[in-house]
Amino acid sequence: MKFTLALGAILATTAAAFAPATVAPRAVAVSTTAVNSFSSDIFEVRSVDMAGTTEQIVKGGRDLFPKLPKAFEGIKEIGVIGWGSQAPAQAQNLRDSLDEAGCDIKVRIGLREGSSSFEEAREVGFSEDADTLGEMYDIIGKSDLVMLLISDAAQAALYKEVFAAMKPGATLGLSHGFLLGYLESIGEGFPEDMDVIAVCPKGMGPSVRRLYEQGKEVNGAGINASFAVHQDKSGKATDLALGWGVALGSPFMFETTLTSEYCSDIYGERGILLGAVHGIVESLYRRYQRQGMSPEQAFIESCESITGNIVKIISTKGIKAVYDGLNDDDKKIFEEAYSASYMPAKEILQEIYDEVSSGNEIRTVIMHGKRIDKFPVGKIDGTDTWQVGEKVRESRDEENIPLNPFTAGVYVATMMAQIDVLLEAGHPYSEVVNESVIEAVDSLCPYMHYRGVAFMVDNCSFTAKTGSRKWAPRFDYILDQLAYTAVDNGKPVDEDIISAFQNHRVHAAVTACCELRPSVDISVGSASSTKEIVIE
């Protein structure tokens, strides 16, 4: 049965079933409802059950590569602009997939004059001699599809020049909705005479490339992606966006809007993906030492327990499996931590969502970018927490990392609070699960386990770095001041909150997404490796 209703309308009438009885769903000023009802002349659109609602997806795979020539029909030149997190991965994946599909399409890299990234692009096969590497505006002017993958701050600064350089009839491609949010905040928009599409992998660029390479023998191995068609003047924008996602190796693609994407994405970075997990680890690290643990054991029971055990269970079995796998005594500890942490975490997460959806958080990033020359961003990996973490990783016993039930309760409560804020704002399950669960456990946390949470914050995109540094201390503070104090003072477990967790419909949605996941786990190397992971 084809799904034709706007998913937000369904969620608006059922959100109360997802949240604890003590928390009423709330409306937000910005409409973020994803369309999630689309058709394609090239790719099979499948209906999937997401926790009792029907959503539409396109399942990716290398078996779809023969369809790429038709999806990219009319595209002869693709310009990948930038060399940050997403650009190297997307450019290489596109080049490899289009070559394998027999497409006569040139993929070029466009960089600013004098960029140090020219040499990095040459190292992976792009070159001036082959006419696949050049100055950004020259490449933009040649391209039928301009994939603008420079930083958010650079997009905000250079959008007028980019639009002016694009040739008539070219398509603008994005992998984040930030530029739309910025344009709306200043009362502007995209030129009306162009197609504007987005394909947004739900993981950082190195994961997009690494899983693509690891999965060459596994059909559909990669990072899930959302796609959005913001303007479709040609009538072909949907199929082009889907072809882009297939060429990246996405196991499945779901529809969103640029507004919904930037709200959920910027929000998620400040929440469980980066900011919240940073604050959780810092607060628990101190708490466990106060309880008598050594610094090394405190780090193992906090950070290592999350990145080395808890997220692995969530990745393959779902969120509730963390709780279900505990013995009775540990379930009580989990419930105490979860019950005490859910509402304090949700308070901060709702504030973050309001700041993002109102445009305030985008303005914060822009203002920070204007201060960057005067106040350079320093690294945050010098504190005791992350210095001890380096020592722990050097002597790590991967097979004996504990699953601390208190840590699990705090982490899962924060993840569930993030999920509930998104659901109450009308985001569809596919977007909620990918932004709050899959991106955390299948993309970011493996790298955190490899190099540390602080390393991830120090090396992520400017937008994510700005937000995670801003909000991590808030999670640290509120958990320490409200959640842990409630546990220590013997506050009874809120049975309504625990019941809402146990019976939450999102568990079925996570299971549905796990079933679409390829049987390839990302491999990021050994903890002792000195090879840098370039994320920004």
Side-chain angles (χ1 to χ4, degrees):
M1 180 178 67
K2 186 174 180 180
F3 181 59
T4 57
L5 296 177
L7 204 55
I10 296 174
L11 289 173
T13 61
T14 58
F18 313 141
T22 54
V23 185
R26 62 190 302 279
V28 293
V30 177
S31 173
T32 59
T33 302
V35 178
N36 216 269
S37 178
F38 62 95
S39 61
S40 171
D41 294 329
I42 299 173
F43 301 102
E44 179 187 358
V45 179
R46 307 184 184 199
S47 295
V48 295
D49 187 320
M50 290 279 184
T53 63
T54 303
E55 296 193 32
Q56 291 184 301
I57 67 164
V58 166
K59 197 172 186 301
R62 291 176 181 269
D63 59 314
L64 298 181
F65 283 9
K67 296 179 181 289
L68 293 180
K70 188 173 181 182
F72 282 86
E73 191 173 24
I75 303 294
K76 295 297 182 183
E77 317 275 346
I78 297 175
V80 179
I81 311 304
W83 198 258
S85 172
Q86 288 291 330
Q90 293 203 32
Q92 292 177 80
N93 288 14
L94 273 168
R95 178 191 62 190
D96 294 353
S97 297
L98 293 172
D99 284 349
E100 186 174 330
C103 295
D104 184 20
I105 298 175
K106 180 165 287 190
V107 178
R108 293 189 177 100
I109 304 299
L111 302 172
R112 58 181 170 77
E113 286 286 2
S115 171
S116 60
S117 298
F118 271 91
E119 187 55 40
E120 294 176 17
R122 294 184 191 110
E123 289 175 359
V124 295
F126 298 96
S127 70
E128 295 90 338
D129 291 342
D131 193 26
T132 56
L133 178 63
E135 190 275 330
M136 63 180 287
Y137 291 111
D138 179 56
I139 299 299
I140 289 171
K142 293 178 179 178
S143 300
D144 303 303
L145 170 59
V146 176
M147 294 169 52
L148 191 63
L149 303 183
I150 57 179
S151 71
D152 294 335
Q155 289 185 29
L158 303 175
Y159 71 94
K160 290 183 180 179
E161 291 86 346
V162 170
F163 295 164
M166 291 177 64
K167 65 182 183 182
T171 296
L172 177 65
L174 305 167
S175 282
H176 190 14
F178 184 95
L179 182 55
L180 173 65
Y182 174 70
L183 292 175
E184 289 180 337
S185 74
I186 58 173
E188 296 189 26
F190 296 104
E192 295 182 356
D193 60 349
M194 65 171 63
D195 286 0
V196 179
I197 62 175
V199 173
C200 310
K202 300 298 103 179
M204 61 185 185
S207 300
V208 173
R209 181 58 178 171
R210 195 174 291 267
L211 272 170
Y212 178 92
E213 291 181 302
Q214 287 177 218
K216 284 188 175 181
E217 304 304 320
V218 180
N219 195 38
I223 292 288
N224 301 331
S226 62
F227 77 94
V229 176
H230 188 70
Q231 292 180 181
D232 186 6
K233 301 301 178 182
S234 68
K236 301 178 180 179
T238 296
D239 284 327
L240 178 57
L242 292 171
W244 176 0
V246 168
L248 291 185
S250 297
F252 74 89
M253 290 147 283
F254 59 94
E255 190 180 29
T256 186
T257 66
L258 279 182
T259 302
S260 186
E261 193 284 329
Y262 83 70
C263 281
S264 61
D265 186 87
I266 297 175
Y267 163 76
E269 292 168 347
R270 285 139 181 77
I272 201 65
L273 302 184
L274 283 170
V277 71
H278 188 188
I280 289 169
V281 169
E282 289 277 17
S283 64
L284 288 176
Y285 177 72
R286 296 193 309 272
R287 175 178 175 80
Y288 291 150
Q289 287 186 79
R290 291 196 300 267
Q291 292 177 340
M293 292 185 189
S294 68
E296 290 77 12
Q297 192 61 34
F299 189 85
I300 290 170
E301 298 288 343
S302 56
C303 192
E304 292 282 280
S305 184
I306 291 171
T307 64
N309 204 328
I310 294 168
V311 299
K312 291 180 180 179
I313 295 172
I314 295 172
S315 174
T316 55
K317 299 178 182 178
I319 304 169
K320 192 167 177 287
V322 175
Y323 174 80
D324 290 340
L326 299 173
N327 62 40
D328 289 345
D329 289 340
D330 284 348
K331 281 181 179 177
K332 291 178 182 178
I333 296 173
F334 176 100
E335 290 176 359
E336 289 176 350
Y338 186 101
S339 174
S341 302
Y342 176 86
M343 285 305 296
K346 192 174 184 184
E347 176 187 337
I348 299 299
L349 287 158
Q350 186 64 64
E351 183 181 353
I352 294 171
Y353 191 88
D354 292 345
E355 289 292 294
V356 173
S357 62
S358 68
N360 287 345
E361 200 67 17
I362 287 177
R363 284 186 282 273
T364 294
V365 174
I366 298 299
M367 288 188 292
H368 190 182
K370 292 178 179 178
R371 297 191 301 268
I372 199 69
D373 290 338
K374 188 175 181 180
F375 302 103
V377 177
K379 291 191 174 183
I380 58 169
D381 60 358
T383 64
D384 181 63
T385 309
W386 311 115
Q387 291 296 303
V388 169
E390 282 193 19
K391 297 176 184 178
V392 169
R393 287 192 295 276
E394 287 175 1
S395 58
R396 174 187 287 156
D397 182 356
E398 194 74 51
E399 300 302 317
N400 289 298
I401 295 174
L403 197 165
N404 185 294
F406 193 91
T407 298
V410 176
Y411 181 79
V412 171
T414 306
M415 179 176 280
M416 293 297 295
Q418 175 164 316
I419 286 167
D420 282 336
V421 169
L422 286 174
L423 286 174
E424 290 164 15
H427 292 263
Y429 278 109
S430 51
E431 187 161 65
V432 172
V433 172
N434 275 278
E435 293 286 6
S436 301
V437 184
I438 292 175
E439 186 166 358
V441 303
D442 285 346
S443 179
L444 293 175
C445 280
Y447 282 91
M448 291 177 182
H449 195 56
Y450 176 40
R451 292 297 301 269
V453 177
F455 178 85
M456 282 295 307
V457 173
D458 282 337
N459 291 277
C460 63
S461 70
F462 182 76
T463 300
K465 184 186 303 184
T466 298
S468 58
R469 288 170 184 243
K470 175 181 176 181
W471 292 98
R474 294 286 303 280
F475 284 101
D476 183 341
Y477 175 86
I478 204 164
L479 289 170
D480 201 26
Q481 296 291 319
L482 297 183
Y484 307 158
T485 302
V487 172
D488 293 341
N489 290 338
K491 183 178 180 180
V493 169
D494 188 322
E495 297 298 340
D496 287 337
I497 287 179
I498 298 303
S499 176
F501 164 67
Q502 293 173 329
N503 299 305
H504 205 297
R505 295 187 183 185
V506 79
H507 300 312
V510 172
T511 298
C513 289
C514 285
E515 290 174 354
L516 295 165
R517 180 183 185 272
S519 56
V520 177
D521 293 322
I522 193 166
S523 172
V524 295
S526 64
S528 61
S529 172
T530 58
K531 184 178 180 181
E532 280 290 299
I533 305 169
V534 181
I535 299 165
E536 187 165 22

